[in-house]
Amino acid sequence: NRLKYRGLLQRYNEKKDWLETELFQERYIPKIEKGLKVRGLSNINSLLELYTGYYDTLYQDIKKYGVRTKFENGECIDPLYIHIYKDGEILFTSDGNHRLFIYHLLGYKKIPVRVWMRHKQWQEKKETLFNSLQSENIITDKKLLDHPDLKEILKVFQSKVK
């Protein structure tokens, strides 16, 4: 339901010009008309150049090559970063929404991410799990066993996971 997602959907699925999308009509054009900057730009033509140049190219790159997290021919797409909250909830950072929405529009069910920050309580829980596994304890907590941030630890101690 996000305006940015609807704008990308209109651009790439409905083939609308950027200026015709809800993103530009409802957010960007009104902001610029009020004298505010959008993505550091103060006029609509510069913003349109950014979107037709950078974001259209990004969309085509992901469509053609998929998710590239390593440098290939000197190029890669920046990874998406996440935060992990104290209860293990995964939160996307404010950076990378365009990429996330493009991956979704192109049908990706899974995309690689990098952890930017972990809440102190979550990190303590992760360390406690690691120490518990080293002490020959068996882990049965389904929530922990399925958490993506713990997969690497659990692989190492696979025999102690039930």
Side-chain angles (χ1 to χ4, degrees):
N1 290 330
R2 292 189 175 183
L3 189 58
K4 193 175 287 182
Y5 182 81
R6 290 195 316 266
L8 292 167
L9 180 71
Q10 291 167 345
R11 173 67 173 173
Y12 301 120
N13 288 14
E14 299 172 22
K15 308 296 186 214
K16 286 188 176 184
D17 186 85
W18 279 115
L19 291 173
E20 296 171 352
T21 65
E22 291 177 53
L23 179 61
F24 273 73
Q25 289 294 313
E26 294 178 20
R27 181 177 294 156
Y28 293 163
I29 293 172
K31 275 188 171 182
I32 287 176
E33 286 174 348
K34 289 180 186 174
L36 301 171
K37 289 186 177 187
V38 175
R39 305 197 66 77
L41 303 168
S42 56
N43 74 59
I44 201 66
N45 289 330
S46 296
L47 187 61
L48 189 57
E49 282 180 35
L50 172 69
Y51 268 76
T52 56
Y54 181 76
Y55 292 111
D56 286 352
T57 301
L58 178 64
Y59 176 84
Q60 292 303 323
D61 185 84
I62 294 171
K63 186 176 181 179
K64 184 174 182 180
Y65 299 110
V67 179
R68 292 187 296 155
T69 57
K70 296 179 182 170
F71 282 96
E72 296 173 16
N73 299 326
E75 298 177 13
C76 80
I77 295 174
D78 291 337
L80 294 175
Y81 290 95
I82 59 167
H83 301 306
I84 302 179
Y85 195 58
K86 63 184 175 183
D87 62 357
E89 179 184 5
I90 295 173
L91 305 169
F92 281 91
T93 63
S94 60
D95 202 22
N97 289 322
H98 288 88
R99 284 171 284 150
L100 178 63
F101 296 155
I102 288 170
Y103 289 132
H104 187 266
L105 286 173
L106 291 171
Y108 285 89
K109 302 293 183 214
K110 291 183 178 184
I111 54 172
V113 296
R114 290 192 182 155
V115 177
W116 184 262
M117 284 189 241
R118 287 180 182 90
H119 192 280
K120 182 180 178 182
Q121 288 178 349
W122 177 255
Q123 184 61 33
E124 288 169 356
K125 189 176 229 178
K126 188 174 178 176
E127 289 169 10
T128 300
L129 173 70
F130 181 76
N131 292 333
S132 180
L133 289 167
Q134 283 185 316
S135 302
E136 304 297 322
N137 293 332
I138 294 175
I139 305 300
T140 59
D141 183 338
K142 183 79 171 140
K143 186 176 179 185
L144 290 177
L145 295 175
D146 290 338
H147 199 283
D149 193 39
L150 304 175
K151 292 288 185 197
E152 293 302 314
I153 293 174
L154 295 171
K155 273 186 202 174
V156 173
F157 297 99
Q158 197 168 19
S159 64
K160 298 177 187 175
V161 175
K162 303 235 179 203

